[in-house]
Amino acid sequence: MLASQYRGNDGGEGREAFGGDDIHDVMNLIVLAESLPYADTQRIGMLGYSRSGMMTFLAAKLGAPLKAAAVIGAPTDLIQTYRDREDIRPALRTLIGGPPSQLRDAYVQRSAAFWPGKLQVPLLILHGERDWRVDVRQSEVLVQKLKALGHEYTYKIFAGSDHNLGLHRQERNAIIFDWFDTYLF
């Protein structure tokens, strides 16, 4: 398993961009995997929770050679997130460079609900019904668009659960392992 650390975090170099240029750090994980003699780059899967779910969508959009992807509580519409979450607006303005009213394209470029046709990978989308960080309706909108396009996906809402599906940890993990077993092995 390979993972990246967001730029500028925990003493790291660079500036965090919340799905901007920092997506290249994720894409470079594939280059790194290709340099490792023990890595099977014919069977790459990607798992992302919350923001890293957004990064998973972005990697798929950019053509990462994924056989399957899974996301949990991923934001799919940062414009909606900006509207819904007053507490996160300052961070989004800082990380993206301004509000959606001034930088709509920058928010759209990071929001899978605006480009579902570019998600050419089997997707597992999991979301908590009571997720206050990312409204479950964001996943529902994306799923409806994927369905209309005939894309391969599985969607599960966890009743009464929160952002990280903590109330359903074992079930969540079993679903994820089964998903990757199906597509990677």
Side-chain angles (χ1 to χ4, degrees):
M1 175 169 41
L2 300 173
S4 66
Q5 175 68 336
Y6 296 123
R7 294 177 181 192
N9 284 274
D10 291 332
E13 295 179 2
R15 182 182 170 274
E16 187 174 352
F18 207 79
D21 286 341
D22 50 352
I23 186 58
H24 301 296
D25 299 340
V26 174
M27 297 300 285
N28 282 329
L29 291 173
I30 296 163
V31 175
L32 174 62
E34 291 168 345
S35 75
L36 301 172
Y38 53 84
D40 183 351
T41 57
Q42 300 304 306
R43 297 187 302 176
I44 297 175
M46 193 172 283
L47 170 64
Y49 287 73
S50 192
R51 176 194 173 174
S52 62
M54 176 188 73
M55 300 298 272
T56 299
F57 289 138
L58 286 167
K61 173 187 173 189
L62 292 175
L66 306 176
K67 295 294 181 195
V71 298
I72 297 123
T76 66
D77 183 342
L78 289 184
I79 295 171
Q80 190 62 49
T81 299
Y82 190 91
R83 288 183 192 130
D84 291 346
R85 299 258 326 266
E86 187 174 331
D87 63 315
I88 200 170
R89 289 178 193 162
L92 289 173
R93 284 192 302 262
T94 298
L95 296 172
I96 297 175
S101 61
Q102 295 174 353
L103 296 169
R104 186 177 195 286
D105 287 347
Y107 282 78
V108 166
Q109 289 171 5
R110 293 162 167 85
S111 300
F114 290 93
W115 32 263
K118 295 188 179 191
L119 300 174
Q120 300 295 317
V121 59
L123 289 169
L124 173 63
I125 301 169
L126 306 177
H127 214 118
E129 175 190 43
R130 295 182 186 242
D131 185 345
W132 65 270
R133 294 179 188 271
V134 179
D135 192 303
V136 68
R137 290 176 293 181
Q138 288 198 32
S139 285
E140 291 170 353
V141 167
L142 177 62
V143 164
Q144 288 304 312
K145 291 178 179 184
L146 293 171
K147 182 178 182 178
L149 292 168
H151 283 237
E152 189 171 356
Y153 71 90
T154 295
Y155 177 48
K156 179 161 177 63
I157 297 174
F158 288 81
S161 203
D162 58 3
H163 188 57
N164 69 358
L165 309 179
L167 297 174
H168 299 90
R169 190 174 320 268
Q170 289 180 333
E171 181 184 2
R172 173 200 69 197
N173 292 346
I175 291 169
I176 292 167
F177 288 130
D178 286 346
W179 181 258
F180 286 123
D181 281 347
T182 299
Y183 288 95
L184 301 183
F185 299 102

